[in-house]
Amino acid sequence: MDDRTYTADAEPGQTVTVAGWVHEIRDLGGIAFLILRDTTGKIQVKFEKDEMDDDLVETGLGVHRESVVAVTGDVEEEPRAPTGVEITPDSLDVVAEADPELPLDPSGKVDADLSTRLDNRTLDLRKDETKAIFEIRAEVLRSVREAFRDLDATEINTPKIVATGTEGGTELFPITYFGQEAFMNQSPQLFKQLMVGSGLERVFEIGPIFRAEEHNTPRHLNEATSIDFESAFYDHTEAMDACETIVKAAYEGVAENCQDQLEALDLQDEFEVPEGDFPRLTYEEAIERINATGELDEQLVWGDDLPTEGEHALGQDVGEHYFITDWPSEIKPFYIKDHDDDEQLSTGFDMMHPTMELVSGGQREHRYDELVEGFEQQGLDPKQFDYYTKMFKYGMPPHAGWGLGGERLVMTMLGLGNIREAVLFPRDRQRLSP
Ligand code: ATP
Ligand code: AMO
């Protein structure tokens, strides 16, 4: 069916059929132009009223904006045309007429609020700048996959319907599974760990995570895309190295393959691939630096989680991506290993963009007895996790890994003000459709 020529490929001297959306009609009197848009760009179609068939002129100029049309005609050079070429039509078919009233204006002349845009993503993604976000997101995922491959990691897919949660009991979405209580998975955590003891050893997954976050913020979603990594025989420092490699690869891919998209977002001059090693601050240094900024009303003490304002103050101070390491064990999950020489100190780390957390990870507890004890300390019943813990009795190597929020990566990379901009159809407290 798709035997049309893309507008970007239409060369002077050719007779082509282009098909796409009516971006704009400009009627100057004796001459009029229809600007046709497809995924590759736009092309001008010229109507010289006195010299052309009346029906053709009437159809071409009477069609509503955003209708789908197919135009056949000769391509000619025309320096005054926006792309330097134009088509003189021999025929024009209206393939799908659009209503004259549109819920949002894809030409971008009239601004729409985010909620209207999210309700009408089809029209919203006709705009170059919105389309660019999703082309960049696709490039981020492509380059991340390639970089994981270079690290010899195997892509896996783990279940999203599960019997138990891992990241704390309150944020689970319960569902009914053939009369039995079940949950939407919050993280592939336990499954990816099970794979490091398998013949695969090093794995990654890019998939949805579900969190029943009650709060409504510009950086939380109820369904997010998690980029997860886990490797046998890695400690937390090697996991951090891998994390840095993957995040840089995403930026490099975008710099290399998305210049047009960056231009559509007006980021061509600002966009920078992070250079050098990401600084690694201990938690202790982090709270000291936050306290020294004077931005918080109350000074942070050992054991406090970092409040959002604290993250912002530190991010401004550091000014680039950075890690926070050596967290107090008590505020990191039970599956993270403590330092051998200090059990108050965990091997858990976070990787931060100056504006927010992007990654959590750490070395895992791979010793059976200590793992079971961790479940108990967390108030979880180890029996419920028997499918997981028992594999630790059959040869589970030391291992480490992390989870990176895909939307947060895209959001921070492009400086988007709201994480919903980086998801086609976001799920939040108010939004269950589309
Ligand atoms: P009218 O006499 O009703 O204005 P016309 O047929 O004489 O119509 P022109 O005077 O040739 O039209 O052009 C009108 C405007 O359109 C001018 O500003 C001209 O620069 C512009 N124009 C003409 N042809 C093209 C073209 N192929 N691409 C872009 N702009 C064009
Ligand atoms: P954590 O819960 O910190 O760690 O999640 C990892 C990263 O996922 C992203 N993220 C979210 N993004 C948008 N909306 C949300 N509601 C949301 N929740 C999380 C963040 C966050 O840094 N199992 C561990 C990872 C590991 O140790 O391997 C985990 O899930 O960018």
Side-chain angles (χ1 to χ4, degrees), residues 84-393:
V85 296
E86 68 183 5
I87 297 180
T88 304
D90 291 326
S91 69
L92 181 147
D93 287 333
V94 179
V95 179
E97 177 90 61
D99 275 358
E101 296 288 329
L102 299 173
L104 71 82
D105 173 18
S107 78
K109 285 182 189 141
V110 185
D111 273 343
D113 60 27
L114 183 58
S115 167
T116 306
R117 291 177 44 209
L118 295 176
D119 286 340
N120 299 279
R121 273 303 210 189
T122 306
L123 297 176
D124 189 34
L125 265 85
R126 291 182 192 171
K127 292 188 295 198
D128 285 342
E129 62 271 29
T130 316
K131 184 176 116 180
I133 295 174
F134 292 94
E135 287 172 340
I136 288 172
R137 182 184 155 119
E139 174 59 29
V140 163
L141 296 182
R142 192 205 62 75
S143 29
V144 159
R145 281 198 165 88
E146 189 178 292
F148 275 128
R149 220 179 131 133
D150 292 342
L151 288 176
D152 293 325
T154 303
E155 182 162 9
I156 58 168
N157 303 99
T158 63
K160 304 306 155 205
I161 301 175
V162 296
T164 49
T166 51
E167 310 295 315
T170 54
E171 293 169 10
L172 285 161
F173 282 113
I175 57 167
T176 306
Y177 190 72
F178 302 114
Q180 193 185 331
E181 186 182 47
F183 303 96
M184 303 300 290
N185 205 9
Q186 295 166 303
S187 163
Q189 183 63 38
L190 305 188
F191 298 106
K192 67 177 178 171
Q193 281 190 262
L194 291 177
M195 287 303 101
V196 305
S198 79
L200 295 177
E201 293 193 22
R202 185 172 303 150
V203 295
F204 75 97
E205 175 165 11
I206 301 176
I209 54 170
F210 304 91
R211 304 207 173 179
E213 318 263 12
E214 289 287 337
H215 43 286
N216 218 336
T217 81
R219 58 175 213 285
H220 287 96
L221 293 162
N222 294 107
E223 176 174 359
T225 308
S226 187
I227 301 171
D228 273 272
F229 173 76
E230 203 70 26
S231 176
F233 302 105
Y234 262 36
D235 66 14
H236 59 293
T237 64
E238 290 162 306
M240 284 191 269
D241 294 343
C243 176
E244 207 171 307
T245 300
I246 294 298
V247 169
K248 284 180 180 165
Y251 274 84
E252 278 158 12
V254 171
E256 222 171 276
N257 301 314
C258 296
Q259 278 310 314
D260 291 349
Q261 288 81 357
L262 291 172
E263 263 170 52
L265 291 160
D266 206 16
L267 291 174
Q268 67 279 11
D269 298 329
E270 277 168 54
F271 188 84
E272 278 175 28
V273 177
E275 273 180 37
D277 296 338
F278 296 173
R280 296 182 183 187
L281 276 62
T282 63
Y283 165 87
E284 194 165 4
E285 287 166 329
I287 57 173
E288 274 166 20
R289 274 176 79 159
I290 293 170
N291 287 338
T293 65
E295 293 286 327
L296 298 192
D297 296 338
E298 259 181 68
Q299 295 272 295
L300 295 173
V301 295
W302 176 265
D304 286 343
D305 216 339
L306 305 189
T308 308
E309 317 84 75
E311 284 182 6
H312 287 164
L314 185 57
Q316 277 212 318
D317 196 21
V318 179
E320 57 179 316
H321 289 87
Y322 62 100
F323 288 96
I324 305 178
T325 65
D326 301 288
W327 289 73
S329 304
E330 68 204 55
I331 53 172
K332 280 289 170 191
F334 65 92
Y335 50 75
I336 306 261
K337 194 167 178 295
D338 300 331
H339 281 282
D340 289 331
D341 52 2
D342 184 353
E343 10 178 88
Q344 304 304 312
L345 217 54
S346 110
T347 65
F349 60 82
D350 284 1
M351 199 277 279
M352 314 290 295
H353 178 270
T355 57
M356 75 187 73
E357 177 199 310
L358 293 183
V359 176
S360 288
Q363 188 173 338
R364 319 305 189 181
E365 183 52 77
H366 69 285
R367 299 162 301 179
Y368 180 82
D369 292 336
E370 283 79 355
L371 186 64
V372 169
E373 205 178 296
F375 274 100
E376 283 159 355
Q377 278 169 6
Q378 193 97 2
L380 295 166
D381 177 8
K383 279 204 202 70
Q384 275 199 304
F385 295 88
D386 198 40
Y387 71 91
Y388 165 76
T389 50
K390 79 177 182 205
M391 292 303 146
F392 287 69
K393 292 198 279 192

Side-chain angles (χ1 to χ4, degrees), residues 26-33 44 46-51 77-82 85-86:
R26 278 191 297 135
D27 197 334
L28 304 174
I31 191 166
F33 306 103
Q44 169 164 293
K46 176 174 72 177
F47 294 87
E48 280 171 314
K49 295 181 188 172
D50 292 342
E51 286 162 41
E77 225 164 293
E78 172 50 65
R80 288 170 297 179
V85 296
E86 68 183 5

